[in-house]
Amino acid sequence: MAKRDYYEVLGVGREAGEQDIKSAYRKLALKYHPDRNPGSHEAEEKFKEAAEAYAVLADGDKRRLYDRFGHAGVNQGGQPGFDPNAFADFGDILGGLGDIFGFGDIFGRRRGGAQRGADVVYDLSLSFEEAALGSETTLQIPRDEPCETCKGSGAAPGSTPQTCTQCAGRGQVHFQNGFFTVARTCPQCRGAGRIITKPCPACRGAGRVGRERQLTVKIPAGIDTGQRLRLSGEGEFGSAGAPPGDLYIVAHVQEHAFFRREGANLISEMAISFPTLVLGGTIKVPGLGGEEHDVKVPEGTQSGMIFRLRNKGIANVSGRGRGDYLVAVKVAVPKKLSRDQRKAVEDLAKAFPVGDVEQPPQESDEAEKPFFERVKDIFG
């Protein structure tokens, strides 16, 4: 039977890019995999046909030969240019397919057991001002580090690990399953590719020991809850010479008694006296880090009015500018009055009979909205 065109098999055009070919192959592999179609010879043949087409079209050199000479250009010794062991290189294409059908060992493990070290996540609690202004802190990070006694080999001093005889140091054993080869973690060395006959007494053959590492970390100004810092190479050490993982520091910012934040914008409420609202004046508003800002209150200011201080908010964590500082003013009502103060308020009440000041709230009156709703309206 004449062999079908590889582009036709995958259902893509000759101009298809690498990602299109990967996507087409993955769909066919999921559809026709023998484990999803038990006993179906037709599905097995289609699965094999798709794998053969992908093995050629995903390889730049083979694809160029195929485009020029057709099937004859990629056949070797009269046999199709398809190697069942090519499945071992398809981890990025099949994604979770290997795990679905039990072939995860093919795609996820390096030969000889060399594995990149695990990433470490550290939750860091910060005060509101530490996060807003930036800070420097020293952390104690627990992690596994190479054993100094055996230099990370896991073998006792004077001895060396032996190559595993069952897998010949590859960390995997292979067996035939139908028309392709399946790789499994070697049961004798558990994927390490070597066997330690005399374990190091300090680490008991692990090659690593738990220690606490002290790190000084600079926290950038403007960091917020949930944002994280990545310190490359500060995670767990890798095995068999593989690189270490990374350290991720996740920020958790505490609430402040006076300030709130909306992104890079700083928000607060100030209670000021009724005479200041009526007659106007200048008030001092506390800012971050002990700063103070002057705010001019116009005559006749209504309780709930919001003043914007541009570029007086929180630094953008990316380093590009600062947000604004929004201050809402409200009437400060004293809980206790002196005799003179009470008389002054009573005289004021006589000067403003009931009905002169009190007005029913209007539906469109912004001052009647809750403070943080009005702030969100300002930010859009």
Side-chain angles (χ1 to χ4, degrees), residues 25-67:
Y25 170 68
R26 189 176 191 279
K27 289 178 182 177
L28 292 172
L30 287 168
K31 181 178 180 180
Y32 293 115
H33 195 283
D35 284 1
R36 284 192 170 183
N37 303 272
S40 173
H41 178 71
E42 181 183 0
E44 182 175 322
E45 288 301 313
K46 285 185 177 295
F47 183 68
K48 183 178 180 180
E49 184 182 44
E52 180 179 328
Y54 177 78
V56 172
L57 298 185
D59 185 304
D61 292 334
K62 289 182 180 179
R63 183 177 180 179
R64 281 189 288 273
L65 288 171
Y66 179 75
D67 288 343

Side-chain angles (χ1 to χ4, degrees), residues 119-123 228 246-250:
D119 293 332
V120 175
V121 177
Y122 186 93
D123 293 304
R228 63 184 190 175
D246 298 331
L247 170 64
Y248 290 92
I249 300 173
V250 182

Side-chain angles (χ1 to χ4, degrees), residues 5-306:
D5 180 80
Y6 287 150
Y7 291 100
E8 180 186 341
V9 170
L10 296 183
V12 298
R14 290 186 172 271
E15 73 287 350
E18 181 182 352
Q19 192 56 46
D20 296 327
I21 292 172
K22 287 181 180 181
S23 178
Y25 170 68
R26 189 176 191 279
K27 289 178 182 177
L28 292 172
L30 287 168
K31 181 178 180 180
Y32 293 115
H33 195 283
D35 284 1
R36 284 192 170 183
N37 303 272
S40 173
H41 178 71
E42 181 183 0
E44 182 175 322
E45 288 301 313
K46 285 185 177 295
F47 183 68
K48 183 178 180 180
E49 184 182 44
E52 180 179 328
Y54 177 78
V56 172
L57 298 185
D59 185 304
D61 292 334
K62 289 182 180 179
R63 183 177 180 179
R64 281 189 288 273
L65 288 171
Y66 179 75
D67 288 343
R68 188 174 180 183
F69 302 109
H71 294 292
V74 292
N75 285 359
Q76 299 174 351
Q79 297 299 318
F82 167 62
D83 175 8
N85 289 314
F87 278 98
D89 298 323
F90 289 173
D92 59 330
I93 315 305
L94 300 180
L97 182 62
D99 293 333
I100 292 172
F101 296 115
F103 305 130
D105 288 336
I106 299 177
F107 307 127
R109 184 179 298 275
R110 296 183 180 186
R111 288 189 176 185
Q115 291 182 323
R116 176 183 177 274
D119 293 332
V120 175
V121 177
Y122 186 93
D123 293 304
L124 178 62
S125 178
L126 297 165
S127 71
F128 188 92
E129 292 199 344
E130 282 177 333
L133 300 174
S135 60
E136 187 173 280
T137 185
T138 300
L139 308 178
Q140 295 289 126
I141 307 295
R143 69 174 184 181
D144 287 342
E145 296 189 357
C147 173
E148 295 180 357
T149 302
C150 65
K151 308 300 181 186
S153 71
S159 66
T160 57
Q162 303 298 311
T163 301
C164 176
T165 56
Q166 187 165 341
C167 66
R170 291 189 299 269
Q172 296 176 336
V173 291
H174 300 79
F175 61 92
Q176 202 71 24
N177 184 0
F179 62 88
F180 56 89
T181 301
V182 176
R184 296 284 192 192
T185 301
C186 175
Q188 181 166 297
C189 66
R190 297 181 180 179
R194 55 184 190 161
I195 295 176
I196 299 172
T197 56
K198 294 182 179 180
C200 170
C203 64
R204 298 181 181 178
R208 293 177 292 177
V209 292
R211 288 196 177 91
E212 282 201 347
R213 178 176 173 81
Q214 191 174 81
L215 292 175
T216 299
V217 180
K218 289 186 177 181
I219 308 300
I223 196 168
D224 203 357
T225 293
Q227 293 180 331
R228 63 184 190 175
L229 305 176
R230 175 173 172 251
L231 277 66
S232 180
E234 293 295 346
E236 300 285 5
F237 275 77
S239 63
D246 298 331
L247 170 64
Y248 290 92
I249 300 173
V250 182
H252 298 273
V253 182
Q254 301 169 10
E255 292 187 358
H256 196 278
F258 182 71
F259 297 117
R260 298 287 185 273
R261 69 181 289 176
E262 184 77 24
N265 295 292
L266 188 66
I267 303 166
S268 71
E269 280 188 295
M270 282 288 294
I272 61 178
S273 68
F274 178 71
T276 303
L277 290 174
V278 175
L279 303 175
T282 300
I283 62 173
K284 295 282 188 183
V285 177
L288 292 170
E291 284 185 319
E292 282 191 333
H293 306 289
D294 290 333
V295 175
K296 188 175 181 180
V297 180
E299 182 178 323
T301 294
Q302 300 298 304
S303 180
M305 184 173 178
I306 297 175

Side-chain angles (χ1 to χ4, degrees), residues 315-354:
N316 194 305
V317 73
S318 67
R320 299 176 182 176
R322 298 178 66 174
D324 297 334
Y325 183 11
L326 278 78
V327 182
V329 295
K330 61 180 181 179
V331 180
V333 180
K335 293 183 178 180
K336 293 183 179 180
L337 295 173
S338 66
R339 182 177 299 177
D340 291 341
Q341 288 172 333
R342 176 174 289 278
K343 185 177 186 310
V345 173
E346 290 172 349
D347 292 341
L348 182 63
K350 292 176 183 177
F352 291 93
V354 175

